[in-house]
Amino acid sequence: MADKRDYYEVLGVAKTATADEIKSAYRKLAMKYHPDRNPGNKEAEEKFKEAAEAYDVLHDPEKRQRYDQFGHAGMNGMGGFSGGGMNMDDIFAAFGDLFGGRMNGGGGFGGFESFFGGGRQRREDPNGPRRGEDMTFRLDIDFDEAIFGSERTIDITLPSECPDCHGSGAAAGSHRVTCRTCGGRGQVIGGGGFFQVRQTCPTCGGEGTVIEKPCRTCRGTGHVSKPQHISLRIPAGVDDGSRLRLAGKGGGGLHGGPNGDLYVLIGIRESEIFERDGQDLGVDVPVSPVLAALGGSVEVPTPDGAATLKIPAGTPNGKLFRLRGKGVPSLRGGSPGDLTARIVFEVPDNLDRRQREALEAFQKLATDKTFPEAQRFAQRARVFYAHKEKLRK
């Protein structure tokens, strides 16, 4: 990793750069070092790859956060270009839409690839295997479920291969024919010179063929919607905004192609007891002022059950006590977080006659030493007003 330049340095942006600034910086570098502008220039090609790798990390919030924390070492196993094994076709495929084009099923490009004269067109056989689409599903769960984990079944409607046309999109007896607009090339060309414009064919979407007679069941898409019941294990310690990947549970593939993946975005409802900050928990513990004054014990709820907390005599309101290892379990098998208990005085209410008389008797016995904080507060107020009178003179 030592031979790699800092990704922010590569793009020429500050570490505080916004997503738009990062995108703009990458566009400029990609335009400058694009191989079609620098034919045979290996240095330019390497700079083009380097910029693409930096953008791959910094434009993704999750990867960027990990990179900011761990540097290049934190990119191992993250997927994408940062995981190594980059090649030029991968870069064109992944970032073509950044320049206004779009990826077709086989990888044809619009604005990015077409801006240059290059002919990197990667159309697949429209009748060959195609991977299904990745899908996203939001699942809201209770706070307790996030802490302890659970087993769930989610109901979702996903695209599946059409049973009538078997994913071809063509009606029975019909077939695909060469697109007349592009002549089967998948692209149309305009302009001339260096700024020759090569764009995805608007008629066939870059496939080079069109369906002669669309299937009535799927209307030529090759897919139909189908309800699915998918089992999901929610791991203990999952946080709000976590994304769980279910490999092969997404949209159905075509012509024997694999299914896409299903990403479950977790939302967590608030707890009536705890506040959460990552793996740490906080809880307000109401206690009697008498207990705080004399000292004693109080029960504190934790994910593992009630814990006994000893409160020393003279504990002030708002005092924090840390219970180590009583927080949220770690998703990665590490130590649980901590739980912070905050002491909150509860003012006595619904007093009967004897209780009121007892408090009145205590009030008569109280001296300035009984409530030292109140005396300090009063003294600070007197100093403030004395200073105010001095300024007026």
Side-chain angles (χ1 to χ4, degrees):
M1 296 295 179
D3 57 339
K4 283 192 175 185
R5 286 203 297 158
D6 179 81
Y7 288 145
Y8 292 98
E9 179 185 346
V10 170
L11 296 183
V13 297
K15 290 189 176 182
T16 57
T18 64
D20 287 341
E21 289 173 341
I22 290 172
K23 182 176 180 180
S24 176
Y26 171 61
R27 285 172 63 99
K28 291 178 181 178
L29 291 175
M31 297 273 285
K32 180 178 180 180
Y33 295 115
H34 192 284
D36 287 343
R37 280 189 167 181
N38 304 271
N41 188 334
K42 293 296 183 181
E43 182 179 354
E45 182 174 327
E46 289 304 314
K47 288 183 179 294
F48 184 70
K49 290 181 180 180
E50 186 181 45
E53 181 176 340
Y55 178 74
D56 173 56
V57 172
L58 299 185
H59 93 288
D60 184 300
E62 182 180 353
K63 291 182 182 179
R64 183 178 181 181
Q65 181 181 8
R66 190 173 180 87
Y67 176 72
D68 288 344
Q69 185 174 3
F70 301 107
H72 291 296
M75 296 296 98
N76 292 334
M78 285 293 287
F81 300 146
S82 52
M86 293 177 61
N87 60 67
M88 297 302 288
D89 284 339
D90 285 339
I91 296 174
F92 292 132
F95 297 110
D97 56 347
L98 180 67
F99 286 78
R102 67 177 183 88
M103 295 178 62
N104 305 308
F109 302 102
F112 176 55
E113 181 66 17
S114 63
F115 183 82
F116 305 96
R120 292 181 178 84
Q121 183 182 1
R122 304 192 322 171
R123 289 185 292 110
E124 297 175 355
D125 179 358
N127 295 314
R130 293 192 191 180
R131 183 180 183 277
E133 295 183 16
D134 290 339
M135 311 296 291
T136 300
F137 179 85
R138 179 178 175 86
L139 178 64
D140 292 325
I141 62 176
D142 291 333
F143 188 89
D144 298 349
E145 198 172 355
I147 300 298
F148 303 119
S150 70
E151 300 288 337
R152 278 289 199 108
T153 298
I154 58 178
D155 297 324
I156 184 173
T157 299
L158 296 172
S160 300
E161 186 175 85
C162 176
D164 290 345
C165 67
H166 304 291
S168 70
S174 179
H175 58 280
R176 286 184 168 271
V177 296
T178 300
C179 176
R180 295 182 179 180
T181 303
C182 64
R185 292 184 297 273
Q187 294 181 336
V188 291
I189 302 173
F194 179 78
F195 290 99
Q196 185 180 48
V197 178
R198 186 188 301 270
Q199 296 179 324
T200 301
C201 176
T203 302
C204 66
E207 294 183 349
T209 61
V210 294
I211 298 173
E212 188 177 40
K213 184 179 179 181
C215 169
R216 289 186 178 182
T217 303
C218 65
R219 298 181 180 180
T221 65
H223 284 113
V224 293
S225 297
K226 183 178 180 181
Q228 302 281 353
H229 306 285
I230 299 175
S231 297
L232 167 67
R233 186 182 70 83
I234 299 175
V238 69
D239 206 349
D240 188 69
S242 294
R243 195 174 65 158
L244 306 180
R245 174 175 173 265
L246 301 180
K249 297 297 184 180
L254 297 178
H255 311 301
N259 292 349
D261 298 334
L262 176 63
Y263 291 91
V264 180
L265 183 64
I266 298 296
I268 301 177
R269 303 183 185 96
E270 293 185 357
S271 169
E272 294 182 355
I273 301 176
F274 301 104
E275 291 185 0
R276 181 176 177 180
D277 181 12
Q279 283 185 251
D280 295 331
L281 293 177
V283 59
D284 286 345
V285 183
V287 301
S288 161
V290 177
L291 176 64
L294 300 179
S297 299
V298 65
E299 296 294 310
V300 177
T302 79
D304 294 331
T308 300
L309 175 65
K310 291 184 178 180
I311 299 177
T315 295
N317 186 42
K319 174 72 175 179
L320 301 178
F321 293 90
R322 183 177 293 275
L323 284 69
R324 299 195 178 277
K326 296 298 184 180
V328 180
S330 171
L331 274 174
R332 296 170 180 80
S335 300
D338 299 333
L339 183 144
T340 300
R342 183 175 68 170
I343 299 302
V344 180
F345 288 177
E346 182 177 8
V347 177
D349 197 5
N350 301 315
L351 300 175
D352 60 26
R353 181 179 58 82
R354 294 181 61 188
Q355 291 169 334
R356 181 176 294 277
E357 290 175 351
L359 286 178
E360 290 173 348
F362 167 76
Q363 182 69 23
K364 291 178 181 179
L365 294 172
T367 66
D368 290 348
K369 293 182 179 180
T370 307
F371 298 103
E373 186 59 37
Q375 297 305 314
R376 283 191 288 269
F377 178 79
Q379 177 60 26
R380 287 193 290 267
R382 286 192 292 269
V383 171
F384 172 78
Y385 289 121
H387 184 63
K388 175 182 178 182
E389 291 299 324
K390 184 178 179 181
L391 292 175
R392 286 182 174 180
K393 294 180 180 179

